Amino acid sequence: MKTKTFSILSITALLGLSGCFGDETLRAYGGLGSQWHLQELDGAAVSGATTITFGRGNDVSGSLPCNRFTARLSSPYPWFELEQLATTRRVCPALAEEITILDALQSMQIVEIKGRIMILSNEAGREMLFTSAE
């Protein structure tokens, strides 16, 4: 009887712990289903249209002033680290701004979502402010 009781308690404890290891990705904290629009980079308004979307799994995609990009998130929320970043290779008059945006995006380390506002930041004090219409 003691063995059966111990087994039941062990299974119950394990099931309880499994709830602690849910979805720890950015999408679980408000990122999924929204298209985020870059408004500011380091406190300055951004003129080129830049968006970012967090898909299923760790997929990330978006648009830049000239190109589109895809990547994968490799860290749980609130950390932010992009891997396997790939872009299309179109040239346009806003290419210099796009390069600045991409460099900043790759340097971000922390993400915070509060309702319709998402802030990416890093230890160097850089910041990207995004808003969502949804």
Side-chain angles (χ1 to χ4, degrees):
M1 184 68 167
K2 286 184 179 183
T3 304
K4 187 175 183 179
T5 303
F6 178 74
S7 296
I8 291 171
L9 289 174
S10 297
I11 291 170
T12 303
L14 287 174
L15 289 174
L17 283 176
S18 68
C20 297
F21 301 106
D23 187 354
E24 292 298 318
T25 62
L26 188 142
R27 69 177 187 270
Y29 290 88
L32 182 64
S34 296
Q35 185 176 63
W36 298 92
H37 300 268
L38 181 61
Q39 303 297 318
E40 295 179 6
L41 174 57
D42 297 330
V46 176
S47 59
T50 299
T51 65
I52 189 168
T53 303
F54 303 97
R56 301 267 176 224
N58 292 326
D59 295 337
V60 179
S61 62
S63 62
L64 300 158
C66 304
N67 292 285
R68 299 210 30 84
F69 73 91
T70 61
R72 296 201 39 89
L73 277 174
S74 61
S75 300
Y77 187 86
W79 309 113
F80 187 86
E81 183 178 357
L82 293 180
E83 290 182 345
Q84 302 171 6
L85 180 70
T87 66
T88 55
R89 296 182 183 213
R90 286 187 233 141
V91 177
C92 77
L95 191 57
E97 180 182 31
E98 178 172 305
I99 291 168
T100 300
I101 291 168
L102 267 176
D103 286 345
L105 189 60
Q106 291 180 87
S107 75
M108 295 298 130
Q109 300 167 312
I110 299 170
V111 60
E112 181 178 4
I113 295 178
K114 290 183 180 179
R116 294 180 24 201
I117 296 175
M118 177 175 70
I119 299 171
L120 301 178
S121 60
N122 65 21
E123 291 177 354
R126 299 203 71 193
E127 187 174 276
M128 300 177 87
L129 176 85
F130 291 81
T131 59
S132 171
E134 297 154 13

